[in-house]
Amino acid sequence: MKNTPTDPVPILQDLIRCRSVTPAEGGALSYLERLLAARGFSCQRLIFREAGTPDVDNLFARIGTGAPHLCFAGHTDVVPEGIAESWTHAPFAAEIADGFIYGRGATDMKGPVAAFVAAAIDYLRGAGPLKGSISFLITGDEEGPAINGTVKVLQWMRENGHVPDHCIVGEPSCTERLGDTIKIGRRGSVSFTVSVEGKQGHAAYPHKADNPIPKLARFIDRIAAARLDDGNAHFDPSTLAVTSFDVGNPAANVIPSRASAKFNIRFSTEHGFASLRNWVDAEVAMVREQMGGQWSVAATEGADAFITEPGAFVALVKEAVERETGINPRLSTSGGTSDARFVKDYCPVLEFGPINATIHQTDERIAIDELRATQRVYGRIIADYFSAGS
């Protein structure tokens, strides 16, 4: 008799009921540890600390010791629920209604975690001796500072001989239908604060003051109109968004002594942190030469741009998605950042998961049919990966 597939629905419900608002573990990792250990996985709980940041609990679980080694990465921490009374169903009750499971993390990303855990359990039960290794890297710090989570687990994995050959991050990648998008990279992100010092004075005597506002306005106009690049085969053109222009001046008759602006650049692989800092410095120098002023520039590096070039691994996942969903997925680098930005330094990585329509929203939810279909996609990926000996 054919084995009955493991149902991810109760797994997801149990995970949602763990109140794991970042950085709290909430029992979610303990639940997964028990579930996986009972199926033969070797589990390691990894708690990392750093001064000034919250302690974070993480889980690494692996079965098998050889190659090829396929890792599934995800997180069980979730963002706060917001106003609980605004939810149609309580945010940590995991109630089922109209074919959906409601709850914080249903899609981002306890749903994908439940789906790939269930898929792995089924594969191990029916495939005979494992020809390689399957592992799970589950962090409690993806929605937080991302300091004591995936980045440090990966370091531990390298030090202890657990670097995978390939990794799939279960972030909700699809936009309209399950299967429509696989993320094979992400744009980089860097934020700048540019300030100009002047001399305060009375608005009736502007010649006695040194107004920093026109100087900074000239600079902002220049960078806002600039085209950073034309993109490339995998990335749209880089973008720049001005997010703040502040002089801290409530008075209409006072020229302020200081003006500051903030802006964020989301960039393709045509750029890096150093090249963008050089470009900003050059633009500042040009305006300073024209208009004077004392300028300062501060940069906060977010994530570097990266791409997993299409090849055998991407093709395998793409074919598995299409076979299970009937959709030919597009290969995308859109969106913000994810923990894939850390994994890419260790092995090829891509992201695939369910529809992202309700992530971080009130009434976050996932359709039961979609959850089970996501499990089938992961199951197909696992089966094809080990049959191909990738």
Side-chain angles (χ1 to χ4, degrees), residues 148-159:
N148 294 320
T150 296
V151 64
K152 289 186 177 178
V153 177
L154 286 164
Q155 292 169 359
W156 178 91
M157 289 166 64
R158 180 172 57 194
E159 293 165 358

Side-chain angles (χ1 to χ4, degrees), residues 111-145:
V113 170
F116 59 57
V117 165
I121 290 172
D122 281 352
Y123 178 78
L124 293 167
R125 184 173 55 188
L130 180 61
K131 300 176 182 178
S133 305
I134 298 174
S135 68
F136 298 109
L137 189 174
I138 312 296
T139 184
D141 191 31
E142 198 275 346
E143 301 289 6

Side-chain angles (χ1 to χ4, degrees), residues 352-375:
F352 178 77
I355 300 167
N356 57 26
T358 64
I359 60 174
H360 292 205
Q361 295 183 13
T362 298
D363 282 342
E364 182 179 351
R365 60 196 178 275
I366 187 170
I368 291 175
D369 288 346
E370 182 187 1
L371 177 65
R372 290 173 175 158
T374 304
Q375 174 191 2

